Structures are given as C-alpha cells and as structure tokens.
Amino acid sequence: MEAYKSEFIQFMIDSKVLKFGDFTLKSGRKSPFFMNAGLYVTGTQLMKLGEYYAKAIHDCYGDDFDVLFGPAYKGIPLSVATTIAYSKLYGKEIRYCSNRKEVKDHGDTGILLGSPLKDGDRVVVIEDVTTSGKSMEETIPIVRAQADVTIVGLMVSLNRQEKGKGDKCALDEIKDLYGFETNAIVTMEEVVECLYNKEIDGAVWIDDEMKAKIDAYYEEYGARE
C-alpha cells in the first residue's frame, strides 16, 4: 500500500470522519462503518485532504487534464482544496469548476461556479463518496451540456465496495454506464488491512468483533468483482 494511502486512513480516523459502530445508511442498510466528509472543517484538514486527493488523482490520471469538477455542495470545497494542492505538489495550474443547485440569473450568471468549461477540456470529477451513483446521474449531464469536454475520470475518497443498484459497486456501475475511469483514494479493503488489530493512538479501531461485523456486512452487501 502506498504511504499516502495509510496516512489518509489515519487522517480519516484523526478527523473523526471515519467511524465504526452501528449506522443506518440512506439506503436503509445497517452498516458497521460510516464516513462523513462534512467533518473536514479546519484549514489544516482541508489542506491535507486536498493533498491526498491530488496524489491519488496524479497516480491514476497523471497531468493530462484541465479542470477539476466538484458537484455541489460537498464537491465545491473538495475541488478548490485539490486544485490548490495540485499546483503546490505538481506545479500545474488546473482550474476548478462546480455547479449551482439553482441557476443564477444576475451578476455571475449561469449554473457554474469557478471556471467555465470549454470545448476540448479534459475534466476529472471529484466527490467524497459514492454509494448508489445517483449524484452522477445529475452531475454528468450538467458537465456535458456546458461544452464538448472529455471526462477523464472520477475520484472519490473511499470506495465502500458494496453493491450499488445491481451486483457491482457504484464506481464500477458508473464506469460501465458513462465510459470513464473511476477510482478512490482508498478502498474499504485497504482500510481493514491497515487498521485490523493495530493500535492507533491507544485504540484498536477494528478488533476481531468489528472485523466479524464488517465481514458479515460484505457477505450480504459486498459487490461482485
């Protein structure tokens, strides 16, 4: 596992973004773990988060893209933080773009924030986590309606690796549906590998009991490869 991946898992724990226990998801599933990217709230956290995204995007997609698109609302700070980090780490100026939930008809008009999209732009979409793929059903038509762009890929922070609408995980379903690559900074499998029976800051986050709950969850909801 790359060093930045294990560091990111520690970062999620330290930021109290990744939690273990008993949670009910929007889908109604009872999950033993939950990630809430809305808890990245400080300047230091957002700076680090942008750097982890930038490293993962660089690893997966290289430098051959022009725009980071972050869907409203959580994708807005993600795209801004990662654009700044990308410039700092790799010396390349990329533009950020996000959508508004409602079209603005005065001043800075339109549906977009940040940079306009132009014909020929190569776009990477950035999100926190994708469980069902529903957000992409809204986002991709918006992006493609603005200009003749190429969507290079999608980057999320955590791949939960559970069934989406069918037997595959949401990221694989998105790839099949839209024809672009989908990736995550880390997968839940990597999280378990990193945390299982390992003490971090005086606590073991995934002990034998929690590992059994996670295994049972994936027996029921795990995505088909």
Side-chain angles (χ1 to χ4, degrees):
M1 186 187 305
E2 294 88 339
Y4 76 84
K5 289 176 176 278
S6 57
E7 291 169 7
F8 178 66
I9 293 167
Q10 169 84 55
F11 173 62
M12 286 194 290
I13 294 292
D14 291 343
S15 302
K16 297 180 172 57
V17 165
L18 179 62
K19 299 180 180 182
F20 298 91
D22 296 299
F23 306 95
T24 301
L25 307 180
K26 284 183 180 179
S27 63
R29 296 175 183 175
K30 306 290 185 181
S31 173
F33 60 92
F34 183 71
M35 197 207 80
N36 180 6
L39 296 179
Y40 295 119
V41 293
T42 70
T44 299
Q45 286 174 333
L46 290 171
M47 177 181 68
K48 289 182 177 179
L49 181 62
E51 290 177 355
Y52 289 124
Y53 266 106
K55 289 175 181 178
I57 289 170
H58 188 264
D59 273 2
C60 293
Y61 304 124
D63 286 328
D64 189 19
F65 69 100
D66 309 292
V67 181
L68 269 180
F69 187 92
Y73 288 103
K74 288 183 180 178
I76 297 174
L78 293 180
S79 61
V80 172
T82 305
T83 299
I84 295 169
Y86 211 92
S87 175
K88 173 185 172 184
L89 293 175
Y90 303 110
K92 176 168 181 174
E93 294 291 0
I94 54 175
R95 293 143 39 215
Y96 98 89
C97 181
S98 296
N99 64 296
R100 294 182 171 96
K101 289 289 189 179
E102 298 174 354
V103 178
K104 189 178 179 185
D105 60 5
H106 61 281
D108 182 17
T109 60
I111 198 171
L112 299 182
L113 294 169
S115 172
L117 294 175
K118 303 180 297 186
D119 288 351
D121 276 341
R122 294 175 59 80
V123 180
V124 171
V125 181
I126 182 171
E127 274 211 310
D128 56 348
V129 66
T130 297
T131 302
S132 68
K134 183 177 179 181
S135 63
M136 288 297 101
E137 293 177 8
E138 302 171 357
T139 299
I140 300 308
I142 290 173
V143 172
R144 288 178 170 167
Q146 307 309 308
D148 183 13
V149 304
T150 297
I151 299 178
V152 175
L154 167 68
M155 180 63 69
V156 302
S157 59
L158 175 66
N159 181 356
R160 289 182 59 101
Q161 296 180 293
E162 61 188 83
K163 295 176 183 177
K165 294 178 179 179
D167 290 331
K168 293 184 178 181
C169 74
L171 289 183
D172 286 337
E173 289 178 346
I174 291 168
K175 179 179 179 180
D176 291 345
L177 181 61
Y178 297 108
F180 53 75
E181 293 297 315
T182 57
N183 288 282
I185 302 176
V186 293
T187 66
M188 198 59 204
E189 183 179 8
E190 289 170 327
V191 170
V192 173
E193 175 189 341
C194 183
L195 297 180
Y196 180 44
N197 277 340
K198 295 177 184 176
E199 186 174 308
I200 296 178
D201 298 332
V204 175
W205 296 93
I206 302 181
D207 56 14
D208 289 339
E209 181 180 357
M210 180 53 65
K211 176 67 160 51
K213 290 182 178 180
I214 293 172
D215 288 345
Y217 184 78
Y218 280 106
E219 278 292 320
E220 185 169 3
Y221 298 116
R224 178 174 58 82
E225 293 293 335

